[in-house]
Amino acid sequence: MAVFPSSPAVQEEVVATGLREPGVRIEYQPEFRRTKFKCPRCDVVAAQSWATVYRKGLRKTATSYVKTEEALSDLGISTCEACNAKCLWFESQLVFPAQVSAYQVPADLPPELQRDFEEAASIAAASPRASAALLRMCVEGLCKTITGKDKFESAMEVLEQQGIPDEIIIAMDVVRLTGNEALHAGKLYGSDDGKTVAILFRLASLIVNWAITEKAALKDLIDKIPPEKLEHIKERRQKVAAKAALKTSEVAFEGRPEGRNF
């Protein structure tokens, strides 16, 4: 019987999964005709669709005129698939927004105020005074929209009653007072600089976060709690409040001067 040579032992190769290897960060800076980048409008890395701009005209022939259509290769409009907002490009450069700003529009900022915020961000470096003026309008409009009040001062009072942090109220008061001073003096907020603009951007974002974003998140959390549990919590809180009120009245009674009629 023939003897066949034994097969060579199979060498097992150990290959790492790569799960523990650090990821490679890719910079998705906005570029002309790039199909995916960090949107200057919503700050999200998303796919971008491009619209080509055409120049139409008439070309004269021997007997008539012929319509012409020429694509402008150095002009384009990108549309973000995440926020559906558009950016304008000319000569391969971003024209609107004027620059990729460090100040991004808060996601929950009411739509009617987003234009003021975006415009303020686009001119913050070139004209801090004009940017600050727009931001004051934005902050005032935001407070009025949230509270439904017609006056900035009344809106601030409502927000204070709702428990907005004292630091935000103080900052808004400064915005209101300096705005009035500049208005009465007929000036465009002459002392505003880049630092003031940065504070105003931060203030607008804080108000949106406290009054809109966090409240929406809390409401979503409460909506997920079963009704019977909510009722139990409500009853328990009422009992705690009643005990506290009774204790307060007992302390007041014990401290009453003797012989005094009430």
Side-chain angles (χ1 to χ4, degrees), residues 21-41:
E21 295 178 5
V24 179
R25 183 180 180 84
I26 301 175
E27 294 296 334
Y28 286 98
Q29 295 301 321
E31 290 181 12
F32 188 58
R33 295 293 177 185
R34 193 172 184 179
T35 56
K36 183 179 182 180
F37 55 70
K38 194 173 188 179
C39 175
R41 305 290 296 277

Side-chain angles (χ1 to χ4, degrees), residues 18-159:
L19 292 176
R20 294 186 179 275
E21 295 178 5
V24 179
R25 183 180 180 84
I26 301 175
E27 294 296 334
Y28 286 98
Q29 295 301 321
E31 290 181 12
F32 188 58
R33 295 293 177 185
R34 193 172 184 179
T35 56
K36 183 179 182 180
F37 55 70
K38 194 173 188 179
C39 175
R41 305 290 296 277
C42 69
D43 201 31
V44 172
V45 174
Q48 306 288 326
S49 58
W50 288 86
T52 301
V53 180
Y54 291 85
R55 178 169 55 198
K56 295 184 178 182
L58 293 174
R59 181 171 53 85
K60 188 177 180 180
T61 66
T63 57
S64 63
Y65 288 91
V66 177
K67 292 182 179 180
T68 61
E69 193 173 85
E70 179 186 6
L72 302 177
S73 60
D74 61 350
L75 183 64
I77 299 173
S78 61
T79 302
C80 175
E81 294 192 8
C83 66
N84 205 37
K86 294 177 172 57
C87 293
L88 178 63
W89 301 74
F90 177 62
E91 293 185 349
S92 304
Q93 299 297 317
L94 183 62
V95 176
F96 179 81
Q99 58 185 343
V100 179
S101 174
Y103 308 111
Q104 300 299 332
V105 180
D108 293 319
L109 183 69
E112 63 271 20
L113 299 172
Q114 289 183 6
R115 184 176 178 181
D116 289 340
F117 194 101
E118 288 181 342
E119 188 174 347
S122 69
I123 62 174
S127 179
R129 293 188 304 162
S131 181
L134 283 168
L135 286 168
R136 283 185 168 89
M137 290 171 52
C138 186
V139 169
E140 182 173 342
L142 175 60
C143 294
K144 290 178 179 178
T145 300
I146 292 170
T147 61
K149 296 295 182 180
D150 295 329
K151 294 183 178 180
F152 191 15
E153 190 172 1
S154 301
M156 286 173 55
E157 289 175 358
V158 172
L159 290 172

